[in-house]
Amino acid sequence: MRFQYRILNILLATAVLVSLSACGPSPDPSSASSNGASQSAASTPRNRMPSDPALKSLYIQSCYGCHSTGVASAPRSGNTADWAPRLQKGMNVLLHNTINGINSMPPKGMCIGCSDEEFTRLILFLSGQSE
């Protein structure tokens, strides 16, 4: 019986370590990439953050998970190429799509309590139009 608990503890510890391995620090974006070019930390979608603490909190809680990496074709934060065709549709369409959901993005983009003004500020940040 004691042997079974030991195996169970080892398996549990292994599962925790494996699941936490993805939570380590990301590679230094200022280091050279595979083609030899370097990139500043501030210019990468994964490192972009709003300067306003309240907006930053909303961004981290609701937007960062998909828009920092482009998960499920989400336009990456600050990536002008990703955002250009969307911006051409106008803020009213972007706000409508954010509130109602579009493609893989759920309605309100996981920010159930966000106001239209907060969504507008988040869209402006994500698209690189502010901050």
Side-chain angles (χ1 to χ4, degrees), residues 78-124:
N79 186 300
T80 55
D82 286 0
W83 281 96
R86 291 163 175 90
L87 289 170
Q88 288 176 351
K89 295 175 183 177
M91 183 56 73
N92 288 338
V93 171
L94 289 170
L95 187 57
H96 177 270
N97 290 343
T98 300
I99 292 169
N100 296 297
I102 185 168
N103 300 327
S104 297
M105 182 175 159
K108 295 199 165 207
M110 305 291 289
C111 192
I112 303 306
C114 281
S115 67
D116 288 0
E117 180 185 343
E118 289 168 324
F119 283 132
T120 300
R121 291 181 63 213
L122 286 165
I123 291 166
L124 290 172

